[in-house]
Amino acid sequence: MYGKGLKPLSIATVVAIAVAFSLVFFYAPLDADQGFIQKIFYLHVPLAITALVGFVIGGVFAIAHLRGGDRRWDAYSYVSIHMSVIFGVAVLITGAIWAKASWGHWWVWDEPTLVSFLIVFLMYATYYPFRYAIEDRDRQARYASVFAIVAGAFVPLNFIAVRLAQSLVHPRVFATANGGLPGSMMLTFLVCLAAVALLWVTLVKLELTAKSASGQLKRLRRALDAPADSGSPRIAPEVS
Amino acid sequence: MRKERAYLILRDRSMGEVQLFGMGLLPIGAPALPLDEAGKYVAGAYLVFLLLLLVYVGIMAAKLQRMERELRDLASFAEQGRPGTPGREAEDVPVDVEAQPAAVSDRNLTPSEAAAGRPDRVRGSSDV
């Protein structure tokens, strides 16, 4: 069920990423200030935006779960958060590499954007122990949904708070009158954003398909009353 | 030292120079690195991304392999539990069934029949 359309989606993702990276290296002009190092921008920022939006989407799925009680929404929420955490790891690593190249430091603690993203990331890192500390599956799903909603609401609030903070190091100039990206850079950035978002969707679908297959397998084993193999304990919600 | 320099450059920029950075963890304000030095960092960032992707795909592949193995086990379990299933191999037939006499092996035996290896009576015939 979940695997339907996965193949064309995967092909579209690969094509989109290839086009995006081609634009980054062969079309977008070099930045006047940072030069070649600014190319990290086209990877780092789309990853950050996708991860943060993914966290919010996880919260929206959690709302649907609490409203209807359908366990599938809980699985959607879990997979969305899981994938966003992985993207968050990529954001932190690529950001650190860029910071090292630009500032000579891997991390700067007095920069609100960096620290706020780290706080969001660490908050979602606690989702896993929080979730699996609860044995009863219904309670686990319910509490995890509450967590996802509260944390999902925190993400935009955190974003606004950081935007309001005054910082010399991270000016936000997408919408300012005398700044902003030139057309070719903006186009490249938008294509990269679309490609990374497509990748997120594809991986979420892949993960859901795998979980669905795993769930079906468990059902089959129960139906056949087969002895359980040495399989690992369940670490994620089943999708049937 | 480099960070202080970055702040200075940004202050200069606020006087009207071009700014082109958005949101996220965006380092800004350092002078351009030479290509040979910047190339290492850019390559590193993109390789980290690809590496993470590869690790994820590898984990998913391992998971798929495990599921396939479990499915194979379940399929063989299901075949063993259903005699006469098409595709059942001759060597899969249990030895004790093969040891039964041909005349009685095709019907259910009582425990005593099974112990004696012969039917006590033909079921239903003596009841008449």
Side-chain angles (χ1 to χ4, degrees):
Chain A
M1 176 184 166
Y2 294 97
K4 196 174 177 186
L6 190 58
K7 190 178 173 184
L9 194 61
S10 305
I11 293 169
T13 303
V14 170
V15 170
I17 287 178
V19 169
F21 285 4
S22 302
L23 287 177
V24 168
F25 291 106
F26 301 113
Y27 174 69
L30 283 182
D31 173 43
D33 284 326
Q34 292 213 349
F36 192 64
I37 199 75
Q38 187 261 346
K39 299 288 184 191
I40 299 177
F41 165 82
Y42 299 108
L43 178 66
H44 170 74
V45 180
L47 280 172
I49 292 174
T50 307
L52 292 175
V53 171
F55 287 137
V56 176
I57 289 173
V60 173
F61 284 145
I63 292 172
H65 170 244
L66 287 187
R67 279 173 64 94
D70 190 341
R71 291 292 298 275
R72 276 185 310 170
W73 294 114
D74 174 51
Y76 291 166
S77 174
Y78 170 84
V79 171
S80 299
I81 290 171
H82 179 60
M83 206 50 64
S84 294
V85 166
I86 294 172
F87 275 47
V89 172
V91 171
L92 289 171
I93 296 175
T94 54
I97 291 172
W98 195 1
K100 178 69 178 167
S102 287
W103 298 336
H105 300 282
W106 294 105
W107 189 262
V108 179
W109 284 106
D110 56 359
E111 169 52 42
T113 312
L114 275 73
V115 178
S116 71
F117 190 90
L118 182 67
I119 289 171
V120 169
F121 176 80
L122 291 177
M123 182 174 67
Y124 277 99
T126 65
Y127 176 79
Y128 299 95
F130 173 77
R131 181 173 188 117
Y132 298 115
I134 303 166
E135 283 191 12
D136 180 66
R137 290 177 59 186
D138 286 334
R139 277 181 62 216
Q140 183 193 85
R142 221 166 39 242
Y143 288 11
S145 290
V146 172
F147 180 101
I149 293 166
V150 174
F154 177 73
V155 170
L157 288 177
N158 182 61
F159 177 76
I160 293 166
V162 170
R163 294 275 294 191
L164 292 174
Q166 295 297 314
S167 171
L168 288 170
V169 182
H170 268 74
R172 281 104 194 149
V173 291
F174 266 144
T176 55
N178 60 347
L181 291 170
S184 54
M185 284 185 167
M186 181 59 94
L187 174 70
T188 307
F189 171 74
L190 291 176
V191 172
C192 286
L193 182 60
V196 172
L198 206 55
L199 177 68
W200 188 88
V201 172
T202 305
L203 294 183
V204 163
K205 202 168 169 56
L206 178 66
E207 185 87 32
L208 279 170
T209 307
K211 292 209 182 309
S212 172
S214 177
Q216 300 288 350
L217 203 57
K218 281 176 186 163
R219 279 180 61 195
L220 184 62
R221 191 191 296 130
R222 278 197 292 268
L224 288 169
D225 199 21
D229 70 342
S230 59
S232 57
R234 183 177 59 83
I235 58 162
E238 285 178 32
V239 183
S240 53
Chain B
M1 177 64 186
R2 289 187 74 166
K3 197 180 163 195
E4 286 166 11
R5 197 172 50 183
Y7 277 94
L8 285 173
I9 290 166
L10 279 164
R11 283 198 199 99
D12 290 339
R13 270 205 200 116
S14 66
M15 303 301 287
E17 285 190 21
V18 176
Q19 301 175 353
L20 38 79
F21 296 92
M23 51 167 292
L25 310 184
L26 299 177
I28 180 176
L33 288 171
L35 187 61
D36 58 337
E37 199 178 335
K40 283 189 301 188
Y41 290 106
V42 174
Y46 279 83
L47 282 177
V48 160
F49 170 71
L50 290 177
L51 191 70
L52 272 175
L53 209 57
L54 274 179
V55 167
Y56 178 80
V57 170
I59 290 170
M60 292 305 288
K63 202 183 276 187
L64 190 65
Q65 246 179 346
R66 196 176 65 231
M67 276 196 285
E68 190 195 12
R69 197 174 56 237
E70 281 183 32
L71 199 57
R72 205 169 42 231
D73 291 346
L74 282 177
S76 61
F77 180 82
E79 281 177 359
Q80 281 171 9
R82 293 172 61 185
T85 303
R88 194 170 179 229
E89 300 293 330
E91 57 267 26
D92 289 340
V93 179
V95 174
D96 56 339
V97 174
E98 283 184 324
Q100 294 291 334
V104 296
S105 63
D106 57 348
R107 67 173 177 81
N108 292 332
L109 300 178
T110 62
S112 59
E113 285 173 340
R118 60 172 178 75
D120 289 332
R121 59 186 179 181
V122 177
R123 189 167 294 163
S125 60
S126 63
D127 296 332
V128 177

